[in-house]
Amino acid sequence: MDHENLRHWSKRAADWTHDYHSTLRDRPVRAPLTPGTVAAQLPANPPENPESAETIFADFERIIPPGLTHWQHPRFFAYFPANASPASMLAEQLANAIAAQGMLWQTSPAVTELEQVMMRWLTQALGLPDGFTGTIHDSATTATLSAVLTMRERALGWRGLEKGLASQPRLRLYASAETHSSVDKATRIAGIGQENLVKIHTDATHSMKPGALAGAIAADRAQGHTPAGVILCAGGTSIGAFDRIADCIEVARSANIPVHVDAAWAGSAMICPEFRDLWKGVEGADSIVFNPHKWLGAQFDCAVQFLADPAPQIRTLGLRPTYLETAGRDEITNFNEWTVPLGRRFRALKLWFTLRAYGLSGLRDRIRNHVDWAREARDALARLPGVTITTEPSLSLFTFALGSDAETEGLLHRINDDGRIYLTQTRHAGRYVIRVQIGQFDCTRDDVAMIPKVVAELM
């Protein structure tokens, strides 16, 4: 394989991509395989000699697509989507061809400067104050870890970076049970420890109780602990819960501790002004994360972290040995100092292509359709005998169940084995329930209508 051959096979890959997407509705959403099926089709040892592109591509077509869960399938209603709009796919092809390593401004000025402009575009698109800036991570997990590490160092006066945590005060973080497990993971990786992540009680709307948050902070301080930060939920993974952002931020501000808002899924919906009341007060946060790859059409991976002031995070994560200096440019932005990895992909390109190819108006239409179609699916399911809607739609996410956990779990297995749609489960209020989440980029109203149809047939 050389560049001349690449020209031919890139065209062949483009044709395959078109055929793949045009036939997705004819495929089961989830591969009906058992573990080890794909691995059994692969040689046990690497090839000693080169193989032809024809052979490699034929094996790809034979082995890989039948072993996939098709995340771009228009009836993928599980987890949250990992969208890949055609414009984003094109940008990724170009980014892969360029293969720039954007760790420093000087290693590819266009990579850094396009990212800076995309952050300004997205700040405006989501209605955030002009003072926010930001950067692109691989996932919300990394963005949340970056925020938690920064909270840790702010609380310790940046002593942890040099002296470690052994002799430091006991730090405490606060979140509700509706926050994503990435908050737990960040707490562990940051050395704060799972026991020091305080889960605050929620109210009847599954929102963190501001009074309970204030009480937990006061109790910890009375015991000599050091409150380090609050992580708030704006569209939780399980049932789409939203904390009372403004009220909780007011509590945190009174206690002089920073706030990170996890809006990984729901943040994309904030390009629609009518949904912004759901995260009212978010402009008071120190850090916000949302994933354009979940609902905005930008291909995975692409997680945006907005920062009211990047200086504390740069002080926490930045490290500039001589070989990473840019001569004569001491104050230039080097985004590796804002994030955990040193190496950085050219992720801003797919945002640029996607925002231009569909415009905010086109992206708003998609999100509004998904929200409307989710409500229609909820109503159709509610009319089925034996089905209980266990949580009402939060944007495009709701849950339902049958009479018992065993019945609900059995139904879910039948649905996913059937292959026409793909749903996943969660536990809510002690019950095993089925999640329905509408958000795949190319899904239609008819695709969503397949949900109650399949459920009715398989109950």
Side-chain angles (χ1 to χ4, degrees), residues 80 204-206 234-242 265-266 269 275 278 295 367-382 387-400 428 434-438 448 451:
F80 289 124
T205 66
H206 316 296
T237 299
S238 184
I239 60 168
F242 280 81
W265 160 62
F275 297 137
L278 290 169
W295 205 3
I367 289 173
R368 287 166 176 156
N369 283 339
H370 296 162
V371 172
D372 289 344
W373 297 340
R375 291 171 182 157
E376 292 174 3
R378 176 261 179 233
D379 293 345
L381 285 167
V387 171
T388 299
I389 303 301
T390 45
T391 58
E392 294 295 332
S394 173
L395 295 171
S396 63
L397 168 61
F398 66 94
T399 65
F400 72 96
H428 174 69
I434 298 174
R435 294 172 73 257
V436 178
Q437 195 284 317
I438 316 302
V448 178
I451 298 169

Side-chain angles (χ1 to χ4, degrees), residues 116-134 270 276 279 290 304-307:
Q116 290 173 307
V117 174
M118 290 304 98
M119 294 306 97
R120 290 197 291 271
W121 282 17
L122 289 172
T123 297
Q124 297 169 35
L126 273 63
L128 295 172
D130 291 340
F132 274 88
T133 184
M270 302 311 161
R276 291 176 188 164
W279 74 352
F290 95 106
V304 166
Q305 184 189 18
F306 297 108
L307 294 163

Side-chain angles (χ1 to χ4, degrees), residues 125-416:
L126 273 63
L128 295 172
D130 291 340
F132 274 88
T133 184
T135 189
I136 307 174
H137 299 265
D138 53 358
S139 68
T141 298
T142 306
T144 297
L145 173 61
S146 299
V148 168
L149 289 168
T150 304
M151 290 172 173
R152 184 193 78 187
E153 288 308 309
R154 287 177 65 160
L156 297 177
W158 280 270
R159 295 187 303 273
L161 294 173
E162 295 293 334
K163 298 183 180 299
L165 305 182
S167 61
Q168 304 299 338
R170 185 171 186 176
L171 302 182
R172 304 283 269 180
L173 296 172
Y174 308 90
S176 83
E178 297 297 333
T179 50
H180 191 264
S181 60
S182 59
V183 177
D184 300 70
K185 180 176 281 190
T187 304
R188 296 177 179 196
I189 294 174
I192 295 171
Q194 186 72 54
E195 291 183 358
N196 293 309
L197 176 58
V198 182
K199 297 295 179 76
I200 305 298
H201 292 304
T202 56
D203 59 21
T205 66
H206 316 296
S207 303
M208 182 189 289
K209 293 181 178 179
L213 173 62
I217 293 170
D220 279 341
R221 282 189 166 145
Q223 294 183 56
H225 304 328
T226 301
V230 176
I231 298 96
L232 298 178
C233 181
T237 299
S238 184
I239 60 168
F242 280 81
D243 287 328
R244 290 157 57 184
I245 303 294
D247 293 339
C248 292
I249 286 179
E250 183 177 352
V251 170
R253 285 285 166 267
S254 297
N256 195 31
I257 55 178
V259 174
H260 172 67
V261 175
D262 182 355
W265 160 62
S268 294
M270 302 311 161
I271 65 171
C272 304
E274 66 269 27
F275 297 137
R276 291 176 188 164
D277 277 350
L278 290 169
W279 74 352
K280 184 178 180 181
V282 73
E283 65 277 0
D286 298 273
S287 170
I288 306 164
V289 63
F290 95 106
N291 291 351
H293 66 240
K294 277 193 166 71
W295 205 3
L296 214 57
Q299 195 163 16
F300 184 86
D301 51 11
C302 186
V304 166
Q305 184 189 18
F306 297 108
L307 294 163
D309 178 7
Q313 189 154 307
I314 294 170
R315 185 174 176 183
T316 301
L317 301 177
L319 199 62
R320 195 181 298 184
T322 303
Y323 51 78
L324 293 180
E325 293 175 353
T326 299
R329 301 284 185 174
D330 290 341
E331 301 307 318
I332 202 146
T333 295
N334 292 317
F335 276 124
N336 80 83
E337 298 175 336
W338 300 43
T339 61
V340 174
L342 173 60
R344 311 192 79 250
R345 297 181 62 241
F346 193 4
R347 297 185 179 99
L349 192 66
K350 57 194 167 193
L351 283 172
W352 192 40
F353 273 47
T354 299
L355 291 171
R356 295 180 66 188
Y358 306 102
L360 292 178
S361 62
L363 295 170
R364 289 188 190 111
D365 287 345
R366 271 183 163 81
I367 289 173
R368 287 166 176 156
N369 283 339
H370 296 162
V371 172
D372 289 344
W373 297 340
R375 291 171 182 157
E376 292 174 3
R378 176 261 179 233
D379 293 345
L381 285 167
R383 290 192 290 268
L384 297 177
V387 171
T388 299
I389 303 301
T390 45
T391 58
E392 294 295 332
S394 173
L395 295 171
S396 63
L397 168 61
F398 66 94
T399 65
F400 72 96
L402 302 185
S404 70
D405 284 2
E407 290 175 293
T408 304
E409 185 174 2
L411 173 62
L412 181 63
H413 289 317
R414 292 193 296 276
I415 288 170
N416 290 335

